[in-house]
Amino acid sequence: MSEMFPHNPLKFDARGLSTNEQRDLYAKLLLPRMIEEKMMSQLRQGKISKWFSGLGQEAISVGVAAAMPRDKFIFPMHRNLGIFTTREVPLDRLFAQFQGKDHGFTKGRDRSFHFGSPEHHIVGMISHLGPQLGLADGVALAEKLDNTGGCSFVFTGDGGASEGDFHEAVNVAAVWQLPVIIGIENNAWGLSTPSEQQFRCTHFTDKAVGYGIPQEDAIQVDGNDLFDVYHKVRDASESLREKPRPIILEFKTFRIRGHEEASGTKYYPEGLIERWSEVDPVTRIQAHLRTAGILDEAFEETLAAEHKARMQDGLEE
């Protein structure tokens, strides 16, 4: 577990982002956190019946969606709320989806994240997770054949990367040199199974050589650092314009909540949640931006009020 813990919890590199850009990224990060908290409240009140929490992993979703070109497809999973909010999916439709109402994306047939929105270039998750890598290969193949200079981005997890579909999709992407970014959210657990019981390698980037993917295209990312996520995804997508090929990004993070809220976290070793809470992606960058003078009390209060109003309007609608 020590291999996964970020080594520089207070080190940030904005790499030329302006003050306004840093504030905008923080605003995008705060919204899914506030929605997470609201949905867990709705769960306790019986207004929704299930919730797959991405609490503590928001920087990955927001950083990916902010860095990827808006017209390129993203294949998210069930903890990637920030993909939907950053791509500005209407909150009233999101909340209707979670409540199983007709105004949602699946007209009440699902109450979580098994849906997509072609308008926002989001492909609905496949619950087994591994198979969606093959679909992302297909989109990447279309981008390559059409010579668009574009790419696709597909999420999987440490559990999903143990499935046969992962092997097949990565192998085809490498053989055909498809412009696809494979984002592995390594949050240390697959359901209730810890990583050390799922695979023997230390990092998922170690798998790259077996597919003929160069080591420089297998990149570790601090998944709890919004700037690190943003810049490495942006670098990868821009690189694929010039040279189509698969790139593996391994996001080191931790699943603070259970697989879903009903499952709990009793199987976690004592102190593990507290340890990772020290590098919470929201409070971590908030502290940095305050110290740098980029955030102040007035801005934060206004931002929180605006997010709260948007959420309330969405719930009322």
Side-chain angles (χ1 to χ4, degrees), residues 2 22 24 38 57 111 219 249:
S2 61
Q22 292 180 60
D24 182 60
K38 185 65 176 180
Q57 297 181 209
R111 297 151 292 145
I219 302 160
L249 297 181

Side-chain angles (χ1 to χ4, degrees), residues 1-6 186-188 195 202-203 252-254 276:
M1 202 65 66
S2 61
E3 290 289 341
M4 296 181 58
F5 193 69
N186 186 354
N187 63 15
S195 294
T202 304
H203 308 289
K252 302 281 191 174
T253 187
F254 180 70
W276 275 91

Side-chain angles (χ1 to χ4, degrees), residues 75-131:
F75 294 71
M77 297 191 294
H78 49 293
R79 299 188 206 286
N80 296 126
L81 171 63
I83 297 292
F84 298 86
T85 57
T86 303
R87 287 216 157 163
E88 298 178 353
V89 173
L91 295 188
D92 60 315
R93 295 204 68 194
L94 271 183
F95 296 155
Q97 173 72 19
F98 302 150
Q99 293 181 358
K101 293 183 176 178
D102 185 65
H103 186 53
F105 288 85
T106 57
K107 299 186 182 300
R109 295 182 180 89
D110 177 70
R111 297 151 292 145
S112 60
F113 288 94
H114 296 83
F115 72 94
S117 175
E119 174 188 355
H120 299 90
H121 289 82
I122 298 173
V123 180
M125 66 172 281
I126 300 172
S127 195
H128 303 84
L129 303 183

Side-chain angles (χ1 to χ4, degrees), residues 33 53-58 79 187 189 224 253-259 261 264-265 268 272-281:
R33 169 59 59 88
S53 177
L55 196 77
Q57 297 181 209
E58 297 97 338
R79 299 188 206 286
N187 63 15
W189 295 81
N224 285 28
T253 187
F254 180 70
R255 195 188 71 203
I256 294 289
R257 311 291 296 185
H259 173 67
E261 285 305 295
T265 56
Y268 280 176
L272 188 59
I273 293 175
E274 291 75 15
R275 186 179 178 212
W276 275 91
S277 294
E278 296 174 14
V279 286
D280 176 273

Side-chain angles (χ1 to χ4, degrees), residues 124-155:
M125 66 172 281
I126 300 172
S127 195
H128 303 84
L129 303 183
Q132 62 194 48
L133 279 90
L135 273 67
D137 276 0
V139 170
L141 177 59
E143 295 276 10
K144 184 172 183 177
L145 292 176
D146 292 342
N147 197 28
T148 64
C151 63
S152 61
F153 187 107
V154 60
F155 279 99

